[in-house]
Amino acid sequence: MVIVVMGVSGVGKTTVGRELARDLGWSFYDADDLHSPGNIERMRSGTPLTDEHREAWLSALATLIGEHARESHSMVLACSALRRSHRDALLAKTPDTRDVRLVHLHADAAQLRERLEDRDGHFFPAGLLASQFDTLERPGPDEDVLVLDAMRPVDELVDTIRTELDI
């Protein structure tokens, strides 16, 4: 199984994803680590990414997900997956999309801005948060996505994910 923990910057995708993977004994990947140097520099300088900028990145992530799913290697991926088209792209190389489960962490923009302003060592500036909310297409009722409040404690989120996904 592959679990993608998604949402805008600052919701805790990496923190929750890393803890979930540790708890399950699965591999963990952070999609930020697969961004091109050009994309990282764009974001660092305060320039939002376009879908064109994201195309190669999403393809690389889809390959990673597809390989893990085909080989039955369980993993957790922290990835923004802001638009439905991004989520569809992530599943494009997976033979059976039932092997991939999506978890959307959401929170209020003001709360997330505080988190981002307090965060050290990350290339994504708090000033780009609004562009992520502008890009975000919340999962629709026809998407099989577990939606959770990102402001809950990490251990509660991990327990809820495990319970709801039966893992």
Side-chain angles (χ1 to χ4, degrees):
M1 175 184 283
V2 174
I3 299 173
V4 178
V5 181
M6 55 178 269
V8 298
S9 190
V11 293
K13 299 178 299 287
T14 300
T15 302
V16 171
R18 204 175 258 136
E19 184 61 23
L20 177 63
R22 186 199 61 73
D23 196 50
L24 294 167
W26 294 4
S27 300
F28 172 76
Y29 298 89
D30 189 330
D32 283 347
D33 296 338
L34 294 171
H35 270 299
S36 69
N39 280 356
I40 290 172
E41 188 51 41
R42 280 180 193 89
M43 289 183 280
R44 183 176 280 129
S45 69
T47 303
L49 297 182
T50 65
D51 281 350
E52 184 178 331
H53 295 135
R54 291 182 179 101
E55 193 172 309
W57 174 69
L58 288 167
S59 179
L61 294 170
T63 298
L64 178 70
I65 291 169
E67 288 171 355
H68 276 75
R70 272 190 303 284
E71 297 172 13
S72 297
H73 293 160
S74 297
M75 68 172 260
V76 177
L77 172 69
C79 178
S80 54
L82 297 173
R83 293 186 192 275
R84 183 177 191 137
S85 63
H86 302 168
R87 298 186 287 276
D88 290 344
L90 291 175
L91 301 175
K93 298 178 183 178
T94 303
D96 187 347
T97 58
R98 292 174 299 183
D99 293 333
V100 182
R101 301 299 308 270
L102 303 175
V103 177
H104 178 231
L105 301 179
H106 71 91
D108 176 79
Q111 293 170 314
L112 295 180
R113 178 172 281 287
E114 284 182 35
R115 276 189 184 180
L116 290 174
E117 288 171 350
D118 292 340
R119 183 165 72 173
D120 290 325
H122 196 279
F123 59 83
F124 191 91
L128 279 182
L129 182 61
S131 72
Q132 289 220 318
F133 273 101
D134 290 344
T135 302
L136 178 64
E137 293 174 0
R138 297 185 189 279
D142 61 325
E143 292 182 85
D144 186 17
V145 179
L146 175 61
V147 179
L148 299 173
D149 179 353
M151 301 314 288
R152 291 174 49 198
V154 172
D155 60 334
E156 281 184 25
L157 289 167
V158 168
D159 288 346
T160 300
I161 293 167
R162 291 197 64 177
T163 299
E164 293 295 321
L165 301 184
D166 196 27
I167 50 175

